[in-house]
């Protein structure tokens, strides 16, 4: 190489990696475990990471699931939680036994690959962290099995401790063994709501009601019957008028959508179980093509029969690749997908003798999951009105969101906004949720938009009479989990990076008076002097 | 805003709805000029909405105007920009302190004042610094604002004054005849004009090349991180330790710095700017700067594409040929200067010269004789480790 390098640029800087791993699997649910086990069986070195058990700090922030502060103090005991996670997922023991490098309580918070604005990394990187520190690993093939997230829906009082999501409820009960509620109201009567109610009942919890905005239960008849047999009341044509209590949830007030009447139900927990959402954050960071597919549960990556995304080294398996009609109770599809991806990865890495998995690819889901989302969001928005807080972190009300208003802590001239709203914005071009985030701060807070991004998307779509999927996916950003400065901090930073650090580009003439001629000879200024700090 | 079909030509067509183009258009609209902004995406979507919000450019001939205008911008625009005046530089050691004193001289020589802060005074103003901080400086000048609110403020304010913005309108060509730009061709139609302001950021070079003018700018990617909100400091414009940035009025710490990456832009679109492992180094420096905020969580990062000229200085130039075109590109220091750069561009477009700042050395003429591949000599080119190990991603 004869060309000079800009010493203040990223060119030539080395970012230390802890290890190079041929196959990394993110997520130790059924799909991820199946992928890791299959890859190990085929003789590949595999790293399997899963963020559970997550740190108590994140649990308190509703990250990565909407935990609603409904877990007991045991979650602070990490070793105990590790034991429970391992016990809850027998495949983990098997993976250990197979020689898989299983790392639990480890967050995948970023991924850095070649692309139009990034060429400097010699290999694709995955960024990981635990509660103490962060590090990088490089990989040849990445199998993402990140599962599904909660779908939160705003209702008056939804910020009270005790309001949680269906995935969080399942995790609290089955993974952490730390659920500390007793009497639940479950919102939603689709597959997710029905399964949640049944699971609660089986765990000996009291399900005070299952609430549905539609005029009939929505899920498969067999599940509806099963729920009815347990004696759980299904309240249809109802929405949530209030979630009330002194601080925590003590009761829910339901509103009849036809007659406007209200009635109260005592409970300590509200599980929002209208649906779950494929977790596509890593695909967005990796630049994999995603598309909105209502039967799959929202934005999902484009994949081939092996689960290979538009980024050929990246696979998507399990719920993060799209939900199935069967619901969460049936892991067979996810397991098959995990195996197929592992086999394809093995073939990529030279195991040409590995035949494609014989199992037929899973049937595509057909049930349209969009109407339930829109029906609930519309009903709760109508009930909550202008004052409904849509984004908890940033305290953005429905009025402020729809009126594209600046946040309340700013003084502004309200008259200037009289004619400005989502409609006027839509007249200037397709609505973009990231732009609305910038204007209103909805989705800009510490929960990283987890609790409001789907709601905001649906509200934008509803208000502009557009299909939900017409609103493009708002971007995900690293770190995908809120990480303390002390954890994210590059303590392994190479000396060369430190020595050549400049606050801005380090172009000597930029810092000298622009009303004078720039010095001809940059050498006069010591060449590319490291400027330790810059004026901006 | 009018529908695409209703938009006709304009007296001045501004190419590029970043902060430079929007400010210029707003100033033109204030003067009663019929102005149309053509933006290929959403206003302020590129560097203009992704920067550090710093407004402290003592080395610019526009500095005085920058300092004069910012405190009035909320009122002039009618929309909040979150501007706050004053900057604090935190020195972790004696060498940094000395360096900051040096970099303060340029402003001091223009009549602006600086107060020295000992460790105790600094700790009072900036509770997140550590016990062993060396000291700092308080600049009674400079400041910071919210870039996203500011760009939208310009856009709305110019619409309020009758200016027009067409988004999702990619300009393909500036049509020239008889030594003058006569029309701007974009994928939503062709718009006749009396004058053109070319403010397309890193795309300025390509568009100017279309009418035979060489504008030496090359693009690079730069990144920032932001934390969850924490209690407000008395002054948010605090930085140092190789970082630039601010505490937002919401309380978030938003900081950038460190290695940039030179990129190539292929075609009319701006590629999505990704982040890199540099975010960890930013976190490290921020923790060093604010040890008492080490527990604070980083919730997001982002990157933007900036434009740089060979000397890192803006180009603000009314061309001789075509005679009715103003080139306005800011070489990576364009956000803070925008109130002043817009006014200067307005004057260049309407009067041919600027009456409040000496722009002599910001013209394209300074690059006469520049080698066509000037950027190679400096290594301002995309670089890859090139060991072929990276699979196609
Ligand atoms: C991370 C980062 C931090 C920064 N920090 C600071 C700071 O603290 N202070 C400061 O002063 N500056 C800062 N800068 C620099 C500053 O952001 C830029 O100098 C400034 O935004 C440039 O504005 P612009 O309008 O000239 O260009 P841009 O913002 O790039 O806008 C150009 C616009 O033109 C549009 N366009 C391009 N081609 C076409 C076409 N063919 N047709 C139609 N439209 C087109 C683009 O879509 C874009 O919106 C920073 C930049 C970055 C990336």
């Amino acid at each position: 190489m004869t060309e000079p390098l800009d010493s203040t640029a990223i060119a030539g800087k080395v970012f230390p990696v802890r290890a190079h791993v041929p196959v990394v699997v993110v997520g130790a649910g059924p799909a991820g475990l199946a992928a890791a086990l299959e890859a190990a069986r085929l003789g590949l070195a595999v790293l399997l990471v899963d963020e559970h058990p997550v740190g108590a700090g994140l649990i308190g922030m509703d990250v990565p699931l909407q935990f609603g502060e409904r877990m007991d103090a045991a979650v602070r005991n990490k070793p105990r939680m590790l034991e429970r996670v391992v016990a809850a997922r027998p495949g983990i023991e098997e993976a250990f036994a197979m020689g898989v490098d299983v790392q639990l309580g480890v967050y995948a918070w970023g991924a850095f690959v070649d692309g139009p604005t990034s060429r400097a990394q010699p290999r694709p990187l995955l960024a990981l962290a635990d509660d103490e520190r962060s590090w990088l690993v490089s990989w040849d093939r990445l199998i993402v099995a990140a599962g599904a997230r909660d779908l939160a829906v705003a209702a008056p009082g939804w910020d009270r401790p005790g309001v949680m999501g269906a995935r969080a409820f399942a995790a609290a009960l089955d993974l952490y063994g730390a659920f500390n509620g007793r009497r639940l109201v479950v919102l939603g009567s689709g597959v997710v709501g029905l399964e949640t109610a049944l699971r609660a009942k089986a765990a000996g919890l009291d399900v005070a009601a299952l609430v549905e905005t539609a005029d009939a239960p929505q899920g498969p008849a067999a599940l509806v019957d099963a729920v009815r047999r347990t004696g759980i009341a299904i309240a249809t044509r109802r929405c949530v008028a209030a979630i009330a209590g002194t601080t925590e949830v003590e009761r829910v007030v339901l509103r009849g959508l036809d007659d406007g009447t209200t009635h109260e139900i005592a409970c300590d927990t509200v599980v929002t179980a209208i649906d779950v959402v494929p977790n596509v954050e890593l695909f967005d960071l990796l630049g994999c093509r995603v598309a909105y597919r209502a039967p799959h549960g929202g934005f999902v990556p484009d994949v081939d029969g092996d689960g290979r995304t538009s980024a050929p080294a990246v696979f998507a398996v399990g719920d993060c690749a799209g939900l199935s009609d069967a619901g969460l109770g049936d892991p067979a599809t996810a397991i098959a997908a995990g195996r197929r991806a592992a086999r394809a990865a093995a073939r990529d890495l030279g195991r040409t003798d590995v035949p494609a998995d014989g199992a037929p690819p899973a049937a595509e889901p057909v049930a349209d999951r969009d109407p339930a989302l829109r029906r609930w969001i519309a009903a709760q928005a109508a009930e909550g009105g202008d004052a409904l807080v849509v984004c908890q972190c940033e305290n953005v009300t429905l009025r402020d969101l729809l009126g594209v208003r600046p946040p309340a802590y700013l003084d502004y001239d309200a008259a200037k906004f009289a004619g400005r709203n989502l409609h006027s914005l839509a007249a200037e071009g397709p609505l973009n949720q990231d732009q609305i985030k910038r204007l209103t701060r909805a989705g800009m807070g510490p929960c990283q938009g987890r609790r409001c991004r789907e709601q905001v998307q649906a509200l934008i779509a509803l208000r502009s009479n557009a299909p939900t999927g017409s609103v493009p996916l708002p971007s995900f950003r690293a770190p995908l989990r809120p990480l303390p400065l002390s954890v994210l901090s590059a303590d392994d930073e190479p000396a060369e990076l430190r020595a050549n650090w400049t606050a801005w580009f380090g172009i000597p003439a930029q810092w000298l008076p622009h009303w004078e001629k720039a010095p001809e000879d940059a050498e006069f200024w010591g060449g590319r002097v490291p400027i330790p700090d810059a004026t901006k | 805003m009018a529908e695409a079909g209703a938009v006709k030509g304009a007296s001045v067509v501004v190419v590029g709805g970043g902060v430079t183009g929007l400010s210029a258009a707003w100033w033109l609209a204030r003067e009663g000029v019929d102005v149309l902004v053509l933006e290929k995406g959403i206003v302020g979507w590129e560097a203009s909405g992704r920067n550090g919000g710093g407004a402290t450019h003592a080395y610019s001939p526009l500095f005085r105007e920058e300092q004069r205008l910012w405190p009035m911008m909320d009122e002039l625009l009618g929309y909040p920009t979150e501007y706050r005046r004053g900057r604090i530089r935190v020195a972790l050691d004696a060498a940094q302190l000395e360096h900051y004193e040096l970099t303060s001289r340029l402003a001091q020589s223009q009549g602006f004042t600086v107060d020295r802060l000992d460790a105790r005074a600094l700790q009072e103003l900036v509770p997140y610094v550590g016990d062993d901080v060396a000291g700092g400086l308080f600049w009674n000048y400079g400041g910071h604002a919210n870039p996203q609110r500011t760009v939208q403020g310009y856009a709305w304010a110019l619409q309020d004054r009758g200016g027009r913005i067409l988004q999702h309108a990619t300009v393909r060509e500036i049509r020239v005849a008889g030594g003058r730009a006569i029309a701007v061709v974009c994928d939503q139609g062709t718009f006749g004009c009396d004058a053109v302001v070319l403010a397309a950021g890193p795309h300025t070079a390509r568009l100017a090349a279309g009418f035979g003018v060489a504008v030496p700018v090359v693009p690079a990617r730069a990144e920032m991180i932001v934390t969850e909100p924490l209690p407000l400091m008395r002054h948010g414009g605090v930085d140092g330790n190789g970082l630039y940035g601010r505490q937002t009025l919401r309380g978030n710490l938003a900081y950038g710095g460190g290695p940039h990456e030179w990129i190539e832009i292929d075609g009319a679109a701006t590629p999505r700017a990704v982040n890199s492992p540099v975010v960890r180094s930013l976190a490290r420096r921020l923790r060093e700067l604010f040890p008492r905020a080490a527990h604070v969580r980083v919730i997001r990062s982002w990157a933007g594409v900036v434009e740089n000229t060979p000397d890192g200085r803006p180009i603000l130039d009314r061309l001789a040929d075509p005679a009715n075109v103003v080139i306005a590109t800011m070489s990576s220091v364009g956000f803070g200067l925008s109130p002043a750069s817009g006014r200067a561009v307005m004057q260049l477009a309407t009067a041919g010269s600027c009456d409040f700042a000496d722009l002599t050395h910001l013209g394209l003429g300074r690059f006469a004789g520049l080698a066509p591949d000037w950027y190679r000599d400096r290594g301002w080119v995309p670089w890859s480790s090139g060991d072929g190990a990276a699979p196609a991603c």
Side-chain angles (χ1 to χ4, degrees):
Chain A
M1 291 238 311
T2 51
E3 289 198 338
L5 286 188
D6 171 1
S7 63
T8 66
I10 200 166
K13 306 287 186 298
V14 177
F15 296 88
V17 297
R18 191 182 265 194
H20 176 77
V21 193
V23 177
V24 179
V25 180
V26 175
L33 271 167
L37 285 168
E38 185 74 358
R41 227 172 264 138
L42 294 169
L44 297 169
V46 184
L47 167 64
L48 171 64
V49 298
D50 194 292
E51 63 190 320
H52 295 295
V54 301
L58 287 187
I59 289 175
M61 300 171 79
D62 281 346
V63 177
L65 303 172
Q66 193 191 1
F67 291 106
E69 297 176 51
R70 261 301 162 265
M71 299 227 269
D72 61 39
V75 298
R76 301 198 166 273
N77 183 341
K78 198 108 181 186
R80 167 115 61 99
M81 288 301 117
L82 269 169
E83 277 167 27
R84 286 190 190 167
V85 169
V86 172
R89 292 177 173 171
I92 292 177
E93 288 276 22
E94 197 185 339
F96 274 121
M98 293 282 299
V100 173
D101 182 3
V102 184
Q103 297 184 11
L104 301 177
V106 168
Y107 315 106
W109 59 265
F112 307 112
V113 295
D114 254 21
T117 67
S118 173
R119 302 244 178 258
Q121 305 308 323
R123 288 179 139 151
L125 301 174
L126 186 70
L128 300 172
D130 56 22
D131 292 321
E132 309 293 319
R133 60 187 64 80
S134 64
W135 65 93
L136 303 170
V137 295
S138 60
W139 44 272
D140 296 320
R141 289 295 177 274
L142 179 67
I143 300 177
V144 181
R149 297 189 296 114
D150 284 321
L151 172 74
V153 173
W158 72 302
D159 55 343
R160 285 183 196 288
V163 180
M164 71 190 315
R167 296 303 288 144
F169 173 69
L173 210 57
D174 294 331
L175 205 51
Y176 291 77
F179 179 68
N180 72 353
R182 301 221 157 278
R183 193 173 150 83
L184 282 55
V185 166
V186 178
L187 308 182
S189 71
V191 167
V192 178
L194 296 167
E195 282 185 346
T196 300
L198 288 173
R199 181 69 196 91
K201 207 71 188 173
L205 300 166
D206 203 359
V207 180
L210 194 97
V211 184
E212 175 52 61
T213 46
D215 53 12
Q218 299 292 294
L223 275 180
V224 176
D225 286 347
V227 167
R228 288 218 157 106
R229 275 197 303 275
T230 65
I232 296 172
I234 303 182
T236 55
R237 293 293 294 154
R238 301 281 203 305
C239 75
V240 176
I243 301 170
T246 318
T247 46
E248 309 212 342
V249 174
E250 288 169 16
R251 60 193 177 278
V252 166
V253 182
L254 297 183
R255 165 104 51 207
L257 290 172
D258 298 316
D259 55 13
T261 55
T262 59
H263 76 280
E264 278 188 22
I265 303 177
C267 63
D268 54 37
T269 304
V270 175
V271 184
T272 309
I274 293 147
D275 210 340
V276 296
V277 190
N279 186 5
V280 297
E281 53 194 10
L282 271 170
F283 304 118
D284 188 48
L285 283 194
L286 286 157
C288 303
R289 210 163 44 235
V290 299
Y292 191 88
R293 297 204 182 85
H296 293 74
F299 288 101
V300 287
D302 283 353
V303 290
D304 70 7
D306 288 328
R308 194 188 299 273
T309 68
S310 64
V314 179
F315 294 83
V317 296
D319 285 344
C320 69
L323 308 174
S324 79
D325 288 341
L328 299 163
D330 174 20
T333 318
I335 290 169
R339 284 200 189 121
R340 261 197 302 275
R343 296 170 84 82
R347 282 195 300 279
D348 287 359
L349 299 179
R351 289 292 309 272
T352 46
D353 56 314
V354 175
D357 193 283
E364 289 285 304
V366 291
D368 185 353
R369 305 178 90 109
D370 191 44
L373 168 74
R374 288 172 78 108
R375 188 178 63 242
W376 270 96
I377 302 259
Q380 290 303 148
E383 175 66 35
D386 277 355
L388 182 69
V389 171
V390 176
C391 169
Q392 284 186 28
C393 296
E394 298 297 318
N395 204 23
V396 180
T397 62
L398 190 59
R399 167 185 167 276
D400 289 346
L401 177 76
L402 302 179
V404 294
R405 298 287 200 282
Y409 60 83
L410 287 181
D411 281 334
Y412 64 90
D413 178 1
K416 284 271 182 192
F417 286 84
R420 304 206 177 275
N421 51 42
L422 285 183
H423 280 295
S424 64
L425 209 59
E428 302 181 0
L431 289 175
N432 180 303
Q433 197 169 331
D434 277 328
Q435 183 189 20
I436 289 156
K437 170 173 105 178
R438 291 163 165 212
L439 296 177
T440 64
R441 295 191 69 94
M444 237 185 200
C447 90
Q448 301 177 313
R450 281 182 175 76
R451 291 178 296 200
C452 74
R453 53 164 55 227
E454 286 76 25
Q455 302 190 58
V456 171
Q457 181 194 16
L459 284 165
I460 292 173
L462 283 164
R463 289 300 153 132
S464 47
N465 278 324
T468 313
S470 69
V471 180
L473 178 74
S475 59
F476 287 92
R477 311 287 178 76
L480 294 171
R481 302 290 174 270
L483 297 178
L485 285 172
S486 56
V487 170
L488 198 56
S489 179
D491 294 329
D492 51 4
E493 189 177 69
E496 209 227 330
L497 182 65
R498 234 175 142 65
N500 289 292
W501 184 280
T502 52
W504 203 232
F505 282 76
I507 307 169
Q510 187 165 55
W511 310 105
L512 302 169
H514 295 190
W515 55 88
E516 293 168 3
K517 209 164 169 314
E520 289 279 315
D521 182 7
E523 288 308 315
F524 176 69
W525 298 95
R528 199 167 308 290
V529 283
I531 295 172
D533 207 281
T535 307
K536 304 227 27 126
Chain B
M1 197 189 64
E3 272 123 53
V7 179
K8 291 195 211 76
S11 177
V12 178
V13 172
V14 175
V15 180
V19 76
T20 308
L22 290 169
S23 175
W26 170 66
W27 279 104
L28 284 160
R30 283 173 63 90
E31 295 296 306
V33 176
D34 172 29
V35 62
L36 167 66
V37 178
L38 299 177
E39 163 55 49
K40 71 175 163 58
I42 293 172
V43 287
W45 195 251
E46 302 301 344
S48 297
R50 298 161 187 267
N51 60 71
T56 317
H57 297 94
Y59 42 72
S60 174
L62 299 169
F63 180 49
R64 269 173 196 291
E65 189 67 355
E66 176 189 55
Q67 300 308 306
R68 185 182 76 86
L69 286 171
W70 267 115
M72 302 189 276
M73 288 308 283
D74 282 22
E75 216 182 307
L76 291 176
L77 294 173
Y79 298 91
T81 64
E82 304 190 22
Y83 172 76
R84 287 294 181 277
R85 190 185 164 95
R87 305 248 13 155
I88 293 174
R89 319 238 67 188
V90 175
L92 300 186
D93 54 40
Q96 286 184 352
L97 194 58
E98 198 190 318
H99 176 75
Y100 296 150
E101 282 182 345
L102 220 78
T103 55
S104 307
R105 293 218 184 120
L106 205 47
Q108 288 172 306
S109 69
Q110 297 174 73
F112 294 92
T113 61
V114 176
D115 297 324
R116 252 193 115 139
L117 301 168
D118 61 19
R120 172 104 54 85
L122 191 62
Q123 282 153 359
E124 223 152 79
L125 285 175
V126 186
Y128 306 119
V129 298
D131 291 335
D132 49 358
V133 68
L137 300 177
F138 188 93
W139 290 351
N140 295 298
Y141 58 87
H144 57 100
N146 178 327
Q148 302 173 340
R149 239 167 265 301
T150 302
V151 280
Q152 193 65 63
Y154 282 126
W156 282 340
L158 94 89
Q159 288 176 330
D160 290 347
R161 289 181 177 267
R164 289 164 297 160
I165 302 172
L166 203 55
Q167 297 186 126
H168 308 284
T170 302
V171 172
R172 306 285 171 187
E173 186 196 346
I174 292 155
R175 206 166 275 166
V176 174
R180 298 180 67 80
I182 54 163
V184 177
V185 184
C186 79
D187 45 14
Q188 290 194 33
T190 297
F191 301 99
C193 60
D194 302 324
V196 167
V197 170
L198 183 48
H203 298 269
T204 304
R206 194 183 148 91
L207 288 164
F211 51 82
V213 171
V215 175
V217 287
V218 287
R221 180 181 62 77
E223 45 197 312
M224 299 189 68
I225 60 170
V226 65
T227 71
E228 63 188 324
L230 66 174
L232 289 182
M233 301 187 275
R234 189 118 57 89
H235 299 276
V238 184
D239 55 22
N241 196 33
L243 300 172
Y244 61 85
R246 65 197 236 279
Q247 181 177 40
T248 69
L249 296 194
R250 170 74 172 96
N252 317 77
L253 304 175
Y255 285 83
H260 46 271
E261 180 157 350
W262 298 101
I263 64 169
E264 231 155 48
I265 294 185
D266 182 20
T270 311
R272 175 172 168 181
V274 299
N275 286 95
S276 81
V278 167
V279 296
R280 295 179 67 234
S281 297
L282 287 169
R284 174 173 173 165
R285 287 192 170 257
L286 192 50
R287 189 201 55 184
E288 289 166 356
L289 181 68
F290 296 143
R292 286 185 208 284
H295 61 285
V296 170
R297 292 170 186 273
V298 177
I299 57 172
R300 197 161 50 241
S301 61
W302 69 82
V305 176
V306 280
E307 65 299 334
N308 260 315
T309 63
D311 53 15
R313 303 174 173 197
I315 299 168
L316 293 171
D317 196 0
R318 165 92 177 245
L319 300 181
D321 180 20
N324 58 344
V325 172
V326 177
I327 305 280
T329 183
M330 296 303 290
S331 197
S332 79
V333 293
F335 173 74
L337 289 171
S338 63
S341 68
R343 184 161 174 240
V345 170
M346 176 271 286
Q347 292 193 353
L348 290 176
T350 54
S353 62
C354 172
D355 68 9
F356 63 87
D358 175 9
L359 305 181
T360 324
H361 294 289
L362 296 184
L364 267 178
R366 71 188 195 268
F367 302 121
L370 191 73
D373 60 350
W374 58 274
Y375 49 93
R376 294 198 177 281
D377 304 338
R378 303 147 195 254
W380 291 11
V381 288
W383 182 91
S384 101
S385 71
D387 67 359
C393 253

